[in-house]
Each structure stands twice: as structure tokens, then as C-alpha cells.
């Protein structure tokens, strides 16, 4: 079977609704945006599971924020 759980139509619709209905940007940081975009792209292209992508985002953001302080 497929090792990666691909998003279904419902998952994609929920994510799209959340993205398009977001009205506030709490913290603008291009590095954070790039990390999230990179990992989200890997998920949507089937290269990573949602859990792998989320864990990688958390790890990379934690490292980045630690380096900033």
C-alpha cells in the first residue's frame, strides 16, 4: 500500500477554508513562512505524512526560534 496518507477532498477543503478565512497575521516572519510552506508542499505532494510534516515544522521552527534568542 501507499506509505503516505494522502489528503482527501474533505481535508483539502478544510485547509483551504482555514487559509482563506484567516484575517490576522500575528507574526510576520519570512523564515517561518518558508518552513511551513516547504513542509506543507512535501505533504501535499505525498512526500511526507501529515504527522511527519507537522513534526518537521515543529522541529525546524523550534531550532529557528532558539537561534533568534
Amino acid at each position: 500500500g501507499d506509505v503516505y496518507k494522502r489528503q482527501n477532498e474533505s481535508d483539502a477543503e478544510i485547509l483551504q477554508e482555514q487559509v482563506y478565512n484567516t484575517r490576522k497575521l500575528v507574526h510576520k516572519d519570512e523564515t517561518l513562512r518558508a518552513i511551513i510552506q516547504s513542509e506543507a508542499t512535501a505533504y501535499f505532494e505525498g512526500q511526507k505524512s501529515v504527522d511527519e510534516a507537522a513534526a518537521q515544522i515543529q522541529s525546524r521552527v523550534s531550532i529557528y526560534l532558539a537561534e533568534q534568542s
Side-chain angles (χ1 to χ4, degrees):
D2 191 7
V3 278
Y4 297 108
K5 178 184 172 197
R6 299 204 180 238
Q7 75 278 5
N8 60 36
E9 189 71 25
S10 176
D11 292 337
E13 288 173 6
I14 290 168
L15 178 61
Q16 182 177 13
E17 181 178 326
Q18 290 173 342
V19 168
Y20 289 137
N21 289 323
T22 299
R23 299 288 179 234
K24 284 188 175 182
L25 182 60
V26 176
H27 184 77
K28 184 176 181 180
D29 186 310
E30 288 303 312
T31 300
L32 294 177
R33 185 201 57 76
I35 291 169
I36 294 167
Q37 182 177 8
S38 170
E39 298 302 327
T41 298
Y43 165 69
F44 284 117
E45 290 180 352
Q47 298 168 359
K48 293 182 179 181
S49 72
V50 69
D51 292 332
E52 291 169 325
Q56 193 64 23
I57 289 169
Q58 184 173 6
S59 174
R60 291 176 64 189
V61 167
S62 294
I63 292 167
Y64 170 71
L65 293 176
E67 291 172 346
Q68 301 308 302
S69 50

